[in-house]
Amino acid sequence: MKLCRYGKPGYEKPGVIDGEGRLRDLSKVIDNIGPNELSPRQLRTLSRLKPETMPLVNSMPRYGVPYVGIGKFIAIGLNYSDHAKEAGLPIPSEPIVFMKATTCISGPSDDVIQPRNSTKLDWEVELGAVIGSTAKYVSEAEALSHVAGYCIVNDVSERSFQMATTQWDKGKGFDTAGPIGPWLVTTDEITDPQNLDMALDVNGQRMQTGNTRTMIFSVAKVVSHVSQYMTLLPGDIIATGTPPGVGLGIKPTPVFLKPGDVMTLTIQNLGVQKQRVVAHQG
């Protein structure tokens, strides 16, 4: 299933994408899409629905974050070997884990607001893995059974903030730094998360191209690793790293985002994100 939420911010309705890519309304079936709906039992119930029997949404509404109740927004740094190389950093011996503030979360087509004093705003297309059932001390072999589905994440980064200290949170957690969506695609449609093409364009120019098969640590490895010291709860999301092509890595002169720039992100079978950069006001 391709689950989503659509409508004005704060007034989103639950939806599902049918086999022809059309948006269908789910509000007569469920009130919202959140941790309860992401449980294996509830997903099995929803999977029995026929999207084509749901009311068709004829307009072109805004897509919101595809589900609510994100308790933890976890991210993995330098998880593609060629991205580590472009950053001039060694291959990590274990996943580099950091947190993005939940207040940074925004919809997949909402504006990215450049924060005050920002000089090095950058992009990162990433695969997000959404937890559907509690995971604590799980093995790599069982890790994916705790994943409800996948979505696109833009790990928007302010490099001058990020590099100011050894902790990355400052450069990764500002408001609008975490667009998620447009859909949450359940695992029945993504049987192999390690073979998904991904790309990011800025103003129509291809900047990032990659495939999840070049991850250093697989989704299963990452989920298992994090669960060894942090209980993962339904609704938690893990952004699993980015392929090469970020602005900071461009040689000889890095390129950064400016107001008016438009980012377009795609991951195979997960839809498209598109955000415009705007300057902070006030």
Side-chain angles (χ1 to χ4, degrees):
M1 294 178 292
K2 295 179 174 70
L3 299 171
C4 62
R5 295 169 63 251
Y6 69 95
K8 295 180 180 179
Y11 297 92
E12 294 92 345
K13 296 181 178 181
V16 63
I17 306 300
D18 67 20
E20 297 183 10
R22 298 178 299 183
L23 174 60
R24 301 280 183 162
D25 180 64
L26 279 183
S27 59
K28 292 185 178 180
V29 179
I30 53 176
D31 293 331
N32 212 334
I33 300 171
N36 181 62
E37 288 73 26
L38 300 180
S39 70
R41 182 175 63 85
Q42 289 295 331
L43 287 180
R44 282 194 297 269
T45 299
L46 288 174
S47 70
R48 291 194 283 268
L49 296 173
K50 295 182 178 180
E52 61 272 14
T53 66
M54 301 293 107
L56 182 66
V57 180
N58 290 309
S59 62
M60 296 287 289
R62 164 192 174 269
Y63 282 100
V65 179
Y67 70 100
V68 298
I70 300 176
K72 294 192 287 297
F73 192 171
I74 303 160
I76 308 299
L78 299 176
N79 197 27
Y80 287 71
S81 56
D82 34 13
H83 174 51
K85 182 179 179 180
E86 75 174 350
L89 296 170
I91 301 297
S93 58
E94 68 171 66
I96 297 173
V97 179
F98 62 94
M99 308 293 286
K100 288 177 72 76
T102 55
T103 49
C104 83
I105 295 169
S106 58
S109 58
D110 295 343
D111 290 341
V112 168
I113 301 172
Q114 185 172 22
R116 288 180 181 176
N117 305 312
S118 165
T119 58
K120 296 180 179 180
L121 193 64
D122 207 345
W123 55 83
E124 292 190 10
V125 59
E126 306 203 6
L127 174 67
V130 178
I131 302 300
S133 61
T134 301
K136 185 174 184 178
Y137 296 117
V138 301
S139 68
E140 188 173 341
E142 65 182 328
L144 293 186
S145 68
H146 293 272
V147 175
Y150 303 95
C151 57
I152 303 173
V153 173
N154 190 353
D155 179 19
V156 186
S157 305
E158 213 306 325
R159 303 301 187 188
S160 62
F161 294 1
Q162 179 185 353
M163 303 305 177
T165 72
T166 57
Q167 302 298 311
W168 293 357
D169 303 56
K170 177 182 177 181
K172 302 278 193 171
F174 57 90
D175 292 355
T176 73
I180 297 174
W183 313 321
L184 169 67
V185 183
T186 52
T187 55
D188 58 308
E189 293 198 17
I190 307 293
T191 56
D192 183 6
Q194 301 308 146
N195 190 27
L196 300 174
D197 291 328
M198 53 204 308
L200 183 146
D201 295 352
V202 177
N203 301 328
Q205 180 179 355
R206 180 61 45 89
M207 307 303 289
Q208 286 187 279
T209 302
N211 187 287
T212 56
R213 64 174 167 264
T214 65
M215 283 183 183
I216 300 167
F217 306 105
S218 68
V219 176
K221 175 65 176 178
V222 165
V223 171
S224 173
H225 174 82
V226 174
S227 80
Q228 304 306 309
Y229 51 86
M230 186 188 305
T231 300
L232 295 170
L233 300 175
D236 289 349
I237 185 170
I238 304 176
T240 56
T242 198
V246 299
L248 182 65
I250 294 175
K251 303 292 191 297
T253 305
V255 175
F256 299 110
L257 295 163
K258 61 186 183 302
D261 286 346
V262 175
M263 293 175 282
T264 305
L265 297 76
T266 60
I267 296 181
Q268 186 177 349
N269 298 326
L270 298 184
V272 179
Q273 287 192 3
K274 191 171 186 177
Q275 302 109 24
R276 181 177 297 275
V277 179
V278 300
H280 183 275
Q281 301 295 319

